[in-house]
Amino acid sequence: MMNKEQEIERISCLIIGSGPAGYTAAIYAARADLKPVVYTGMVPGGQLTQTTEVDNFPGYPKGITGPVMMEDLRAQAERFGTDVRFGYATKVDFSTDGGIHKVEIDGVKTVEAETVIIATGATAKWLGLDSEEKYNGFGVSACAVCDGFFYKGQDVAIVGAGDTAAEEATYLAKLCRKVYMLVRRDEFRASKAMVHRVNNTANIEVLYNTEAVEILGDGQVVTGVRVINNQTKNLQDLDVTGFFVAIGHKPNTELFQGILDMDETGYLITKADSTATNIPGVFACGDVQDHVFRQAITAAGTGCMSALEAERYLMAKEDVVLS
Ligand SMILES: Cc1cc2nc3c(=O)[nH]c(=O)nc-3n(C[C@H](O)[C@H](O)[C@H](O)COP(=O)(O)OP(=O)(O)OC[C@H]3O[C@@H](n4cnc5c(N)ncnc54)[C@H](O)[C@@H]3O)c2cc1C
């Protein structure tokens, strides 16, 4: 239950999150006259504001930096009347019978919305090294598909032992001269098929029982990685220009636990060929419901779907009232 003393506002479409999914949903919802309100959360613009070059988003033939691209998306959403506000959804009370959904913002106000589009994204997990943070975007990346191209013909390292890490290592191996794969234990967590693929890729060298202790650089970009063998305690410096972290992502879904259907790792489950959740009028788009592709363009695509589905949902509700 929401606090009765709070300021209450009634709208037709609330969008939670301001990454490519949220802003694309906003562009479509605003153009359909749903007068959407976007709450940006703590990272206005989402994950792409934490990277430098984005080379694979259609429409930018010369590439674009993540922060500038997200400013463009925001401006496009605002051009059609989207109300973009800084604020964080702190509690939700979703109506299960197609009624009004209540979302508390910053613990101080309640927005009542006929439709809610959840675009809260996911957060990449990092090792937590100071040097990793220092060179993030300058040789350190959490996305091989996004940034591998920048290291074409070069030597790189990737850390991780699951299916995603194995897949990203083989992706990098097609572009890079050599890929060191750092596996903390003496075995992979990945499926047998993926391990087989890694072991059969000539330019991947797997270093078991190995952990990164420091990302080395020249103050501007990555020049290597210092690793330790956790059994022998031997230190070794690998000459690499790219360091990829593939130890998993955490979907931002704590708020919806026990309310929306999610898989065992917390990703929201949406219906087939749809962004509809298990609650009527509540839709989910972008990385928060996609642990497979996790790209800006796929997030934007599902953002579009959410807005179109929200519009259709509202129209169907209106038809019921009129009939
Ligand atoms: C370092 C890096 C580089 C990348 N490079 C590329 C690239 O080159 N090309 C590419 O296609 N993809 C790239 N990606 C992936 C891409 O950034 C994501 O796929 C994309 O941003 C997902 O968009 P999204 O809208 O689903 O979520 P996000 O971008 O994760 O945005 C989530 C939004 O939700 C908000 N939020 C979260 N919780 C709340 C809450 N409770 N209330 C209100 N708001 C909330 C956040 O503040 C944020 O605005 C990269 C990712 C990383 C980490």
Side-chain angles (χ1 to χ4, degrees), residues 213-233:
V213 288
E214 190 181 349
I215 315 305
L216 308 171
D218 60 6
Q220 304 277 320
V221 294
V222 168
T223 56
V225 55
R226 182 159 299 151
V227 299
I228 188 167
N229 181 303
N230 55 31
Q231 300 297 302
T232 63
K233 306 296 174 204

Side-chain angles (χ1 to χ4, degrees), residues 16-22 39-43 45-48 50-51 53-54 56 87-89 119-122 143 146-147 252 255 285-287 294-297 299:
I16 310 176
S18 57
Y39 276 97
T40 64
M42 304 310 270
V43 190
Q47 292 174 65
L48 283 185
Q50 294 158 359
T51 188
E53 286 301 305
V54 177
N56 54 8
Y88 197 76
T120 50
C143 180
C146 313
D147 295 330
N252 302 319
L255 200 56
C285 51
D287 282 14
R294 287 197 303 253
Q295 293 295 292
I297 188 65

Side-chain angles (χ1 to χ4, degrees), residues 8-322:
I8 295 176
E9 178 185 17
R10 173 77 66 92
I11 61 172
S12 67
C13 180
L14 172 67
I15 299 171
I16 310 176
S18 57
Y23 280 148
T24 305
I27 291 167
Y28 277 77
R31 294 185 82 241
D33 210 24
L34 301 190
K35 300 185 173 49
V37 172
V38 171
Y39 276 97
T40 64
M42 304 310 270
V43 190
Q47 292 174 65
L48 283 185
T49 58
Q50 294 158 359
T51 188
T52 46
E53 286 301 305
V54 177
D55 252 0
N56 54 8
F57 199 85
Y60 292 106
K62 295 186 179 137
I64 182 91
T65 66
V68 172
M69 181 181 139
M70 293 317 300
E71 272 307 306
D72 281 353
L73 275 177
R74 176 191 168 123
Q76 193 174 355
E78 285 180 331
R79 185 179 142 218
F80 301 112
T82 304
D83 185 349
V84 179
R85 303 174 185 172
F86 185 75
Y88 197 76
T90 39
K91 202 191 280 182
V92 298
D93 180 0
F94 290 150
S95 157
T96 49
D97 60 4
I100 297 297
H101 304 297
K102 301 185 180 78
V103 177
E104 183 187 77
I105 305 296
D106 295 330
V108 294
K109 88 170 261 177
T110 297
V111 175
E112 295 187 343
E114 286 180 89
T115 59
V116 177
I117 295 177
I118 298 167
T120 50
T123 309
K125 291 183 189 164
W126 298 96
L127 298 175
L129 304 170
D130 288 345
S131 50
E132 172 191 55
E133 200 179 327
K134 179 174 174 187
Y135 290 108
N136 191 352
F138 299 92
V140 172
S141 170
C143 180
V145 174
C146 313
D147 295 330
F149 183 81
F150 299 120
Y151 303 93
K152 212 168 177 178
Q154 302 173 35
D155 294 353
V156 300
I158 182 166
V159 54
D163 276 332
T164 304
E167 195 173 313
E168 296 207 343
T170 50
Y171 178 86
L172 288 170
K174 287 192 202 123
L175 299 167
C176 303
R177 190 172 56 180
K178 168 135 195 175
V179 179
Y180 294 99
M181 191 163 187
L182 314 182
V183 176
R184 192 158 45 127
R185 294 190 299 163
D186 59 0
E187 59 181 5
F188 276 91
R189 277 187 298 104
S191 64
K192 273 192 183 144
M194 286 309 301
V195 176
H196 180 77
R197 205 187 290 174
V198 167
N199 288 336
N200 283 283
T201 304
N203 59 339
I204 298 180
E205 181 179 339
V206 182
L207 302 175
Y208 290 102
N209 298 313
T210 301
E211 296 173 45
V213 288
E214 190 181 349
I215 315 305
L216 308 171
D218 60 6
Q220 304 277 320
V221 294
V222 168
T223 56
V225 55
R226 182 159 299 151
V227 299
I228 188 167
N229 181 303
N230 55 31
Q231 300 297 302
T232 63
K233 306 296 174 204
N234 277 346
L235 287 170
Q236 186 188 354
D237 288 353
L238 306 174
D239 290 332
V240 294
T241 48
F243 181 75
F244 291 86
V245 180
I247 55 174
H249 284 75
K250 191 174 160 302
N252 302 319
T253 53
E254 292 88 349
L255 200 56
F256 313 110
Q257 255 159 23
I259 299 168
L260 294 179
D261 289 347
M262 46 184 88
D263 69 14
E264 66 285 354
T265 44
Y267 283 90
L268 297 183
I269 295 173
T270 49
K271 301 204 166 116
D273 302 325
S274 163
T275 61
T277 66
N278 55 305
I279 304 267
V282 178
F283 305 89
C285 51
D287 282 14
V288 75
Q289 53 86 58
D290 170 20
H291 59 91
V292 180
F293 300 106
R294 287 197 303 253
Q295 293 295 292
I297 188 65
T298 45
T302 50
C304 157
M305 287 168 65
S306 279
L308 293 176
E309 290 189 279
E311 188 203 354
R312 284 170 198 163
Y313 168 85
L314 289 170
M315 267 170 36
K317 251 177 110 175
E318 224 171 81
D319 288 347
V320 171
V321 173
L322 292 176

